[in-house]
Amino acid sequence: MTEKTQAQNQASPAELPTQYAPAEVEGKLYERWVERGYFEADENSGKEPYTVVIPPPNVTGSLHLGHAFEHTLIDALTRRKRMQGYETLWQPGMDHAGIATQNVVERELGKEGKSRHDLGREAFVERVWQWKSESGGQISGQMRRLGDGVAWGRERFTMDEGLSQAVQTIFKKLYDDELIYRAERIINWCPRCLTAISDIEVEYQDDDGELVSMRYGNGDDAIVVATTRAETMLGDTAVAVHPDDQRYAHLVGRSIQLPLTGRSIPVVADAHVDPEFGTGAVKVTPAHDPNDFEIGQRHDLPSLTVMDEHAVITVPGPFQGLDRLEARSAIVAALRAEGRIVAEKRPYVHSVGHCSRCKTTIEPRLSMQWWVKVGPLAKAAGDAVRDGRVAIHPQEMEKRYFDWVDNLHDWCISRQLWWGHRIPVWYGPNGEVVCVGPDEQPPSGEGWTQDTDVLDTWFSSGLWPFSTLGWPERTGSLAKFYPNSVLVTGYDILFFWVARMMMFGLYAMDGTAPFGTIALHGMVRDQFGKKMSKSFGNAVNPLDWMDEYGSDALRFTLARGANPGVDVPIGEEWVQGSRNFANKIWNATRFALMNGATIEGPLPEPERLSATDRWILSRLGETVAEVDAHYDDYQFAKVSDALFHFAWDEVFDWYVELSKTTFQAGGEAADVSKRVLGEVLDVTLRLLHPIVPFVTEVLWTTLTGGESVVIADWPADSGFRDAAAGREIAVLQQVITEVRRFRADQGLQPGQRVPARLRLSGTPLAAHEAAIRQLLRLQPEGESFTATATLPVAGAEVALDLSGAIDVTAERKRLEKDLAAARKERAQAEGKLGNESFLAKAPEPVVEKIRLRLAKAEEDISRIEGQLGRLPSA
């Protein structure tokens, strides 16, 4: 039992409105928390640190359900740790989102009839900064709506001065260590955004295309290849077959004619080719396909680029100047005219990559770019998990992590944009290449130019856990709050963001991993498990639900669905249910305050407690221990379920109801129960606070008079347990539940009172007679009492006089009709299950369904026969 403070300031229940109105309190409460500095972190405190970074949302973004879900989980963790006495830092900030932001500003310019080229690079970048200051970052206000307890005083932006210095520092360090280099490789190219993009920015979807089989060569030298991108045949420099494929052994090493081009290309043997797929022969276009590029490297083939950055054909001849799709149709027509089309399949559904920003089809393209040599960095990232320095939760996600880092290709980090961290490399007039660090002067003089590309956004966000704390300076914040305690993020960016943070953190911070635990969650889906998307018509704006039901309701719904690494279905009716839970907490606390529940003074000694008091205090201790264990295992759904069932089922539906009789009777027992109820509510509200912070803040401060539940102590398990009291209350609950069920079966209204005789002597229930009668609406038996129904339950006996309470004839007729239907259902099921011919032919699922029907029918028959037997005589 925790020691209470400021109890003398306990507020009056009159201060609580009869109904909870989230919209009237949430915004005011949040601003009060921020003004009082509850969420700020002190690097000079002696408390143990607990650090979590926010996965930085895009500056162009707005709060979506995925953000709301992730932020709810992080906020729950950090609020609990703050209450436990840690120096807690939830680091906020935003990502500059290179492509997305540049696209937004370019669209704004388009409305003015201008392009970025009309402004020039410097003026365009100034325009982006202007947009950022005026329109960017609306998500910050939306995070406040959700209740995010972030340290706003430490907010960072991936292109602010300090983070820019960090980016330039690590680029220089990697360059000097020969882990950054420039080379011509195949990249993902967006012909609309005119830049290379990362794998994470490519969205794959099934498109209707065409599969064309074409004959290269003539006569005995002929060979058939198939492609969905016929336009790339203009850049073919070989045909490849498997070394063991005897069908083409005679062609390996020879040259065949490439149609439409006047060129001859060799046939090469390469183990990459699958001889079982298609014809077993593939066209090789090294400049326009990543696999073909690798084949080209192995066989020293030339790489011919046949399209410009706009995906327009550049090869001299009849197709020059055509868009790639126009060229595709024209080339197929030309091949058909020459009799070289062997087969055409359309529509041919296949997976095609699209730019996630503008939805344009991605074009694999050979391009000179900057790369990170990830081999040694990826090995270090894998070793940190293998040797236990970093734990991945749930553990089964480790395999996906290792599959990625153990097979990581070098990372293309340059982007052909103007908005972003410009690559700190200068080129001289005589071919000089100079990489410049943050404290170095770039070379000057005639002929020196800086690289025009900027860095991939993931490069700067990969530094997030330490750059936000002041690195490369050895700041007090860095010493206090690095490494992070945990990273909470979606499994979908395990590879792209998490792996990069691991590589950079270990590299820059002397082998210290950026976090101790990686806690992965799933994606939010609709109530049917379908991915949310505007195109599907099932996307939800979380702000709408917060407006309608309150932020606590949305948060509780999201947390209750959060099983580690598993996708989270959510529907509006579930948010409505959570709103009802918030209202239940409000109403029950208000009732308790109106009836004198208090936290003043110590808890009474166990010998002064009733069995009901001892039971709820025992369950309170067990719940504290259960919630702690689930939090430590990142089992947010189990935390939420444990709190929901304890609060609603046990505190509100049982303890509060059982205590009403005690309160009415008054005296010492009532005073004891009021103190116990105050204790239970105090602890329960503190347990609930990390997930539902707003309603608990109002109720806890009203109950206790404390300053804020945000800075209250996290409850400790009292260690109090009373198994005997638990068994006694379980029997009491059984009696009340069984009699309630009987009343419902007899058609009695919930508030309808009936005379009853209770035989409770010799059972632990004797002390609870007044509560039993009140909860079951049972009057004393009276002189004319006639027992028309008797229920033996748990060693006790409840006799009821239902004469005049129900229409026995009508009720018997209804039940007999139901019984006849159940018996007919049983007979039909037994008939099918007794038919050997049916059992031999019917699928097992069909048979199992009939078995279930039979079991259900037998259960109904037993129940209805029992109801009929308990009916009074007509």
Side-chain angles (χ1 to χ4, degrees):
M1 316 306 168
T2 58
E3 183 178 345
K4 306 302 183 297
T5 60
Q6 302 187 42
Q8 67 274 16
N9 298 322
Q10 187 169 342
S12 164
E15 295 182 17
L16 285 179
T18 55
Q19 292 184 329
Y20 177 49
E24 296 178 11
V25 301
E26 290 179 349
K28 296 175 184 176
L29 284 181
Y30 188 85
E31 291 310 313
R32 184 188 308 162
W33 293 334
V34 173
E35 289 167 6
R36 293 179 177 179
Y38 293 156
F39 304 141
E40 298 303 321
D42 181 3
E43 64 194 51
N44 297 311
S45 85
K47 298 178 182 178
E48 184 177 348
Y50 185 83
T51 315
V52 184
V53 294
I54 192 171
N58 288 352
V59 68
T60 59
S62 59
L63 190 75
H64 57 63
L65 270 179
H67 289 129
F69 173 56
E70 185 167 82
H71 290 199
T72 294
L73 305 187
I74 300 174
D75 198 38
L77 288 176
T78 52
R79 283 179 183 270
R80 173 176 175 255
K81 287 296 183 180
R82 188 178 294 111
M83 295 171 75
Q84 287 180 319
Y86 288 78
E87 191 62 45
T88 302
L89 169 59
W90 183 10
Q91 174 67 55
M94 286 183 292
D95 192 287
H96 65 276
I99 295 177
T101 306
Q102 181 156 317
N103 281 347
V104 167
V105 178
E106 285 195 85
R107 282 197 296 269
E108 293 297 314
L109 285 174
K111 295 175 184 177
E112 303 170 13
K114 299 178 182 178
S115 74
R116 60 179 163 127
H117 300 284
D118 294 324
L119 271 65
R121 182 168 192 146
E122 186 175 341
F124 176 76
V125 171
E126 288 180 4
R127 181 69 176 261
V128 180
W129 278 110
Q130 179 185 346
W131 175 88
K132 191 258 182 187
S133 66
E134 295 174 356
S135 306
Q138 64 172 313
I139 195 171
S140 296
Q142 295 164 348
M143 288 164 57
R144 292 170 180 261
R145 284 284 314 279
L146 188 64
D148 286 3
V150 299
W152 289 113
R154 292 173 172 266
E155 187 175 11
R156 303 304 298 270
F157 180 55
T158 51
M159 281 189 62
D160 66 28
E161 184 177 351
L163 269 66
S164 294
Q165 183 182 31
V167 168
Q168 195 171 352
T169 299
I170 201 162
F171 187 99
K172 170 71 170 172
K173 179 174 171 58
L174 288 163
Y175 182 88
D176 289 347
D177 288 345
E178 298 183 349
L179 293 174
I180 280 183
Y181 64 94
R182 193 166 184 246
E184 196 173 39
R185 298 277 184 85
I186 292 285
I187 45 87
N188 301 309
W189 181 263
C190 176
R192 158 61 183 80
C193 298
L194 298 180
T195 181
I197 65 174
S198 66
D199 291 338
I200 187 62
E201 292 163 324
V202 179
E203 293 180 347
Y204 288 90
Q205 65 185 48
D206 288 340
D207 285 0
D208 287 344
E210 60 179 353
L211 180 66
V212 180
S213 297
M214 310 174 290
R215 186 179 70 253
Y216 288 4
N218 299 299
D220 293 339
D221 290 344
I223 193 166
V224 175
V225 297
T227 183
T228 58
R229 300 163 66 216
E231 68 279 8
T232 63
M233 62 87 60
L234 298 175
D236 286 358
T237 56
V239 171
V241 298
H242 193 275
D244 299 331
D245 194 334
Q246 294 304 309
R247 292 173 296 175
Y248 305 114
H250 67 289
L251 290 176
V252 174
R254 297 170 59 181
S255 293
I256 60 173
Q257 181 190 20
L258 179 64
L260 306 181
T261 66
R263 292 191 288 114
S264 293
I265 57 176
V267 177
V268 300
D270 195 280
H272 170 76
V273 179
D274 181 1
E276 303 299 323
F277 182 77
T279 64
V282 297
K283 58 190 288 297
V284 181
T285 320
H288 292 278
D289 184 274
N291 294 322
D292 293 2
F293 178 78
E294 298 295 333
I295 295 175
Q297 293 290 100
R298 287 193 288 271
H299 297 276
D300 197 24
L301 300 173
S303 297
L304 304 181
T305 299
V306 300
M307 288 178 243
D308 65 13
E309 64 270 23
H310 297 280
V312 171
I313 301 298
T314 58
V315 179
F319 311 111
Q320 186 175 13
L322 296 180
D323 170 82
R324 56 183 165 168
L325 298 182
E326 296 171 332
R328 183 176 301 170
S329 299
I331 287 171
V332 171
L335 289 169
R336 189 184 299 113
E338 289 192 2
R340 290 192 174 275
I341 298 297
V342 176
E344 297 178 71
K345 182 178 182 181
R346 60 170 71 88
Y348 177 72
V349 179
H350 61 130
S351 181
V352 177
H354 295 75
C355 174
S356 62
R357 304 300 176 189
C358 67
K359 310 309 177 186
T360 302
T361 301
I362 290 302
E363 187 65 41
R365 186 168 189 261
L366 187 63
S367 180
M368 182 66 75
Q369 301 286 344
W370 285 94
W371 304 81
V372 172
K373 186 185 297 182
V374 299
L377 303 175
K379 181 181 184 303
D383 290 345
V385 174
R386 287 189 170 95
D387 64 24
R389 281 176 287 159
V390 178
I392 293 180
H393 187 87
Q395 191 173 2
E396 54 265 27
M397 287 285 180
E398 281 187 1
K399 182 179 184 303
R400 299 178 68 171
Y401 177 78
F402 291 136
D403 285 346
W404 181 256
V405 297
D406 293 347
N407 299 284
L408 203 56
H409 298 295
D410 285 0
W411 171 21
C412 175
I413 56 171
S414 45
R415 299 290 179 266
Q416 290 64 57
L417 303 172
W418 287 357
W419 172 246
H421 294 283
R422 195 163 175 182
I423 290 176
V425 172
W426 271 255
Y427 305 106
N430 299 312
E432 302 96 332
V433 178
V434 177
C435 180
V436 178
D439 299 322
E440 301 171 353
Q441 288 295 322
S444 59
E446 186 176 349
W448 283 93
T449 58
Q450 185 178 359
D451 195 299
T452 58
D453 288 351
V454 300
L455 288 164
D456 178 11
T457 298
W458 296 101
F459 190 94
S460 51
S461 62
L463 314 182
W464 192 247
F466 53 93
S467 64
T468 52
L469 298 173
W471 187 91
E473 301 297 325
R474 295 291 171 172
T475 62
S477 289
L478 190 66
K480 178 76 172 181
F481 296 113
Y482 187 90
N484 282 210
S485 306
V486 62
L487 173 73
V488 180
T489 192
Y491 65 71
D492 55 319
I493 57 172
L494 173 63
F495 317 128
F496 308 108
W497 187 47
V498 179
R500 282 151 172 65
M501 286 191 292
M502 285 286 284
M503 291 191 296
F504 282 164
L506 290 160
Y507 175 73
M509 298 300 294
D510 303 319
T512 301
F515 16 74
T517 300
I518 301 169
L520 299 171
H521 58 72
M523 299 171 64
V524 179
R525 297 181 178 272
D526 71 12
Q527 64 214 57
F528 306 108
K530 191 173 182 179
K531 181 180 178 180
M532 286 192 173
S533 166
K534 290 181 181 178
S535 61
F536 295 156
N538 63 351
V540 172
N541 183 346
L543 297 172
D544 293 340
W545 282 352
M546 287 192 280
D547 288 342
E548 181 72 19
Y549 306 110
S551 298
D552 285 332
L554 176 63
R555 289 171 61 113
F556 192 77
T557 304
L558 292 166
R560 203 172 182 190
N563 292 296
V566 178
D567 289 346
V568 183
I570 184 173
E572 185 169 4
E573 65 272 22
W574 302 338
V575 186
Q576 292 172 348
S578 295
R579 185 268 317 272
N580 295 342
F581 180 48
N583 288 342
K584 185 78 169 181
I585 300 169
W586 182 273
N587 293 333
T589 305
R590 190 170 184 276
F591 165 84
L593 289 168
M594 293 176 64
N595 284 273
T598 180
I599 63 164
E600 293 185 11
L603 275 174
E605 298 80 4
E607 55 270 20
R608 294 177 59 203
L609 301 174
S610 69
T612 310
D613 295 331
R614 296 195 306 276
W615 162 72
I616 199 63
L617 290 173
S618 180
R619 283 294 301 126
L620 181 66
E622 290 170 349
T623 301
V624 171
E626 183 181 1
V627 166
D628 277 334
H630 290 325
Y631 262 125
D632 291 343
D633 198 33
Y634 305 100
Q635 298 279 357
F636 298 97
K638 291 181 178 179
V639 168
S640 305
D641 267 348
L643 289 171
F644 176 87
H645 290 297
F646 174 70
W648 191 311
D649 298 347
E650 296 182 295
V651 178
F652 305 150
D653 277 0
W654 283 109
Y655 183 72
V656 169
E657 292 300 317
L658 290 169
S659 298
K660 286 180 179 178
T661 307
T662 307
F663 293 162
Q664 290 171 1
E668 182 184 359
D671 292 339
V672 168
S673 290
K674 289 173 183 178
R675 178 65 187 85
V676 170
L677 180 55
E679 177 78 10
V680 171
L681 287 175
D682 169 25
V683 173
T684 301
L685 291 170
R686 283 185 281 150
L687 289 173
L688 283 164
H689 173 72
I691 298 177
V692 285
F694 294 107
V695 67
T696 52
E697 172 79 340
V698 177
L699 296 176
W700 187 85
T701 53
T702 304
L703 172 70
T704 68
E707 179 184 339
S708 172
V709 70
V710 176
I711 55 172
D713 291 337
W714 180 254
D717 178 5
S718 65
F720 181 83
R721 302 290 189 273
D722 193 324
R727 290 190 294 271
E728 181 174 331
I729 300 305
V731 172
L732 174 62
Q733 291 171 330
Q734 182 184 355
V735 170
I736 292 173
T737 301
E738 288 295 324
V739 176
R740 280 176 173 167
R741 183 180 296 118
F742 175 77
R743 286 175 57 104
D745 288 344
Q746 303 308 312
L748 294 174
Q749 296 300 312
Q752 188 174 353
R753 294 188 172 276
V754 295
R757 180 177 62 237
L758 306 181
R759 299 190 185 279
L760 307 175
S761 58
T763 75
L765 300 176
H768 302 284
E769 179 169 353
I772 292 172
R773 286 190 177 277
Q774 178 162 312
L775 291 178
L776 292 174
R777 305 295 190 266
L778 302 179
Q779 301 173 181
E781 51 192 284
E783 294 182 2
S784 60
F785 177 83
T786 301
T788 59
T790 302
L791 284 75
V793 185
E797 185 179 275
V798 179
L800 304 174
D801 184 354
L802 301 180
S803 47
I806 59 173
D807 185 336
V808 177
T809 302
E811 184 64 13
R812 186 178 298 279
K813 185 176 181 180
R814 182 185 70 80
L815 289 172
E816 286 174 345
K817 182 179 178 181
D818 291 345
L819 180 61
R823 286 172 173 168
K824 181 179 179 181
E825 176 73 4
R826 179 178 66 181
Q828 290 175 342
E830 287 177 337
K832 289 187 177 181
L833 293 175
N835 185 331
E836 295 295 335
S837 176
F838 170 78
L839 294 176
K841 296 177 182 178
E844 180 56 33
V846 174
V847 176
E848 179 59 25
K849 187 175 181 180
I850 294 173
R851 291 194 186 102
L852 292 174
R853 284 172 51 193
L854 175 60
K856 176 66 166 55
E858 289 176 336
E859 179 184 329
D860 289 344
I861 290 168
S862 177
R863 174 179 55 81
I864 296 168
E865 287 178 343
Q867 291 175 235
L868 282 167
R870 290 190 293 270
L871 276 178
S873 302

